Amino acid sequence: MLDDFQPGAMALREVDGRAVAIVRWGDDLYAVSNSCPHMGGPLCQGHLGPRIGSARAGSIELDPTRPTLSCSWHGWEFDLATGSALWDDEYSVRTYPVEVAADGRVLLDTRRRRRAKAEA
Amino acid sequence: MSAAASRPAAAEYDGPIVDCDVHAEPSSPDEILPYLPSEWSLDYLRQAGRTGPAKLMRPDAAPESGGPAGSAPELVHTQLLEPLGIDRAVLSPGTLVYAPSSPNPYYAAAMARAANDWLIDRWLGDETPFYGSILVANHLPEVAAAEIRRAGQHPRMVCVVMADNALGHPWGHALFHPIYEAAAELGLPVAIQAGGFGGVNPSPTGGGPPSLDLEQGTLAVQGAMNALVTFITEGVFDHYPSLKLILLEGGVAWLPGLLWRFDASFKGARREVPWVKRLPSEYFRDHVRITTQPPEIPPGYEHIVELLAEVGAQETLMFASDYPHRSEGEPLDIAARIPAAWLPNVLRGNALATFRWPERGN
């Protein structure tokens, strides 16, 4: 159920035999594989936060519309919406489409990948 | 100028060569005095004679008429340019390059200015193969930037050079950025010369200043590593996208390992430096050039060359003799130890694309 997921937090669930990290961020839900594509670190034990960007050296800007997950093992960061690693968008973690049913259940489809909002 | 027929080793490339690191010395301290404000004369004369690592010099490079190695243009011609077929040599002001090791920022700045004016007057005639490096003292970066804008007006000053780090921060630190801003404004690359062990400035090596010459010579590479890494991490190339960094006398064999480690570390530390937009090794290829002396590629170590190829050595290495310094082997030995296909770039092309040659303008 949606109320089982706290805003700004990650929760680990097993779905169809897969370990999935589920994130509630604002009004959105995200689901990614719990296994970091780098060396298999548990992403659910990593850090969740807004995307960190910069227009110039010494300045840091946060984008709360782009939730980012960083692995607790080696710090690799992933965009939750696309699964792409922030240092190279060719490298990514598996994402899953997730939605909330009318009765409040959180539904996950492990057969497909999440589509970015712009593509939906 | 045609390349000399007697030149060894580089059979696959017989065109003219650009030498990116030659040291020009004053014949005596008196030669500098006309360029130095009189209030600093006594300080300079006290310092002169103990700034130079004379034992590192080729003894035959000292003219019989007197003066230290590297002080006679005619010997540079007969011992270096003509035998190797070099038609352009980038000069730094010899042991004066360490004059900014003084703790006195005003004296250091005056010495840098004097060294630049002396180099222009003594060596950089219109018809010579010589080009100059603008020496700056970095104690006061805005003063250094002003000196770049002043001395950089001379068309034969083709880069900026520093050896001593007076600020005690990594070379890429924002405190130095006024220097890099001025260099980028004038289209001048910035050369960092390994060394800078003199005076009271912080040691360029980790763990404190070396006690022995052997330690100094072996560990000087750490200064080059410092410049390469911190120019990228501290966003110098993002601030000044046209800027090139040249690493002098820091060796080359360590590049593959350092860049692999740098890329690997960056992937997990991007959030600390979000202004770094690409892998560090990509910045290296686009912005950093590294000179060949000393090459650290002994005969039989072809695997080092294979690793260097992986990090783009063909596009980033530039020939340098380091004349009149002594080192293991001959400067052009490098030509026999790298692939023949690299030679046009390493011996000439990369340098032509890096320095601000007069024909390129500002």
Side-chain angles (χ1 to χ4, degrees):
Chain A
M1 302 299 286
L2 180 61
D3 291 344
D4 294 336
F5 300 96
Q6 300 302 311
M10 289 182 285
L12 180 63
R13 294 287 188 273
E14 185 172 322
V15 183
D16 292 342
R18 307 165 196 230
V20 178
I22 297 175
V23 172
R24 184 173 176 183
W25 185 266
D27 295 331
D28 294 318
L29 282 168
Y30 300 87
V32 299
S33 166
N34 189 45
S35 179
C36 178
H38 178 212
M39 296 189 74
L43 289 176
C44 214
Q45 294 178 17
H47 176 78
L48 175 66
R51 180 163 180 158
I52 297 173
S54 173
R56 64 194 307 274
S59 73
I60 289 180
E61 295 98 36
L62 303 180
D63 183 353
T65 69
R66 305 285 297 277
T68 302
L69 182 56
S70 59
C71 180
S72 62
W73 280 12
H74 299 97
W76 283 28
E77 298 168 280
F78 300 95
D79 184 308
L80 275 177
T82 64
S84 297
L86 296 197
W87 63 268
D88 183 352
D89 59 13
E90 296 295 313
Y91 220 97
S92 63
V93 63
R94 176 68 190 265
T95 61
Y96 304 103
V98 58
E99 61 184 29
V100 181
D103 61 2
R105 286 183 301 152
V106 174
L107 304 177
L108 198 67
D109 186 348
T110 57
R111 297 167 302 177
R112 296 188 294 122
R113 291 181 182 273
R114 179 190 180 92
R115 297 178 66 193
K117 273 187 175 176
E119 301 167 358
Chain B
M1 173 181 177
S2 61
S6 61
R7 186 167 89 192
E12 292 80 0
Y13 175 77
D14 62 0
I17 291 174
V18 178
D19 188 335
C20 301
D21 186 24
V22 176
H23 304 277
E25 288 289 345
S27 300
S28 75
D30 291 343
E31 202 171 300
I32 293 299
L33 291 179
Y35 301 95
L36 191 64
S38 57
E39 62 267 32
W40 298 114
S41 299
L42 184 57
D43 299 78
Y44 171 58
L45 291 173
R46 283 174 176 163
Q47 185 190 40
R50 57 187 174 85
T51 57
K55 59 192 169 187
L56 299 177
M57 303 294 187
R58 278 174 58 159
D60 66 339
E64 292 180 359
S65 57
S71 63
E74 60 275 15
L75 282 183
V76 180
H77 276 279
T78 58
Q79 293 181 339
L80 178 71
L81 307 186
E82 291 162 14
L84 298 190
I86 292 167
D87 71 339
R88 302 182 191 216
V90 179
L91 306 177
S92 66
T95 48
L96 288 169
V97 82
Y98 299 113
S101 68
S102 167
N104 184 329
Y106 313 109
Y107 169 71
M111 279 306 305
R113 183 184 177 107
N116 294 331
D117 288 342
W118 165 80
L119 192 67
I120 290 169
D121 278 359
R122 171 88 168 111
W123 291 81
L124 306 189
D126 287 341
E127 302 302 321
T128 76
F130 299 123
Y131 299 83
S133 309
I134 302 168
L135 177 65
V136 293
N138 48 55
H139 310 56
L140 302 170
E142 294 291 352
V143 173
E147 176 60 9
I148 291 169
R149 293 186 174 99
R150 186 193 72 86
Q153 297 307 311
H154 193 283
R156 280 184 170 255
M157 290 300 231
V158 296
C159 69
V160 175
V161 67
M162 297 186 287
D164 280 279
N165 178 335
L167 298 181
H169 289 280
W171 283 113
H173 194 281
L175 284 169
F176 290 104
H177 287 200
I179 296 172
Y180 308 143
E181 180 177 1
E185 180 183 306
L186 273 70
L188 295 160
V190 172
I192 304 285
Q193 180 172 315
F197 292 94
V200 297
N201 295 327
S203 170
T205 58
S211 309
L212 307 171
D213 287 344
L214 176 58
E215 296 170 351
Q216 180 172 319
T218 307
L219 297 172
V221 60
Q222 292 180 2
M225 293 177 172
N226 173 311
L228 190 162
V229 171
T230 64
F231 263 61
I232 294 171
T233 54
E234 310 232 11
V236 176
F237 299 128
D238 297 284
H239 271 306
Y240 313 109
S242 64
L243 190 66
K244 293 269 194 311
L245 168 67
I246 300 169
L247 302 177
L248 298 173
E249 303 181 29
V252 300
W254 49 270
L255 275 171
L258 182 96
L259 289 173
W260 181 89
R261 184 188 183 98
F262 197 3
D263 278 355
S265 298
F266 168 73
K267 291 170 186 174
R270 190 213 66 92
R271 60 188 293 116
E272 184 185 28
V273 288
W275 46 86
V276 178
K277 306 297 186 190
R278 296 175 291 151
L279 288 175
S281 59
E282 295 176 36
Y283 282 89
F284 168 76
R285 286 182 186 232
D286 288 348
H287 291 280
V288 183
R289 300 293 175 262
I290 188 160
T291 54
T292 57
Q293 193 73 356
E296 304 157 341
I297 309 174
Y301 281 59
E302 291 82 6
H303 58 283
I304 295 179
V305 174
E306 292 176 21
L307 293 171
L308 286 170
E310 289 296 312
V311 298
Q314 184 175 354
E315 291 80 32
T316 52
L317 286 184
M318 303 195 300
F319 172 77
S321 69
D322 196 21
Y323 177 95
H325 290 165
R326 289 188 308 197
S327 60
E328 295 301 319
E330 296 298 323
L332 209 52
D333 286 351
I334 184 72
R337 299 176 191 177
I338 60 177
W342 295 11
L343 294 178
N345 274 1
V346 173
L347 297 181
R348 187 172 184 80
N350 292 340
L352 290 184
T354 299
F355 292 95
R356 189 198 68 177
W357 303 107
E359 63 268 27
R360 290 178 63 185
N362 289 2

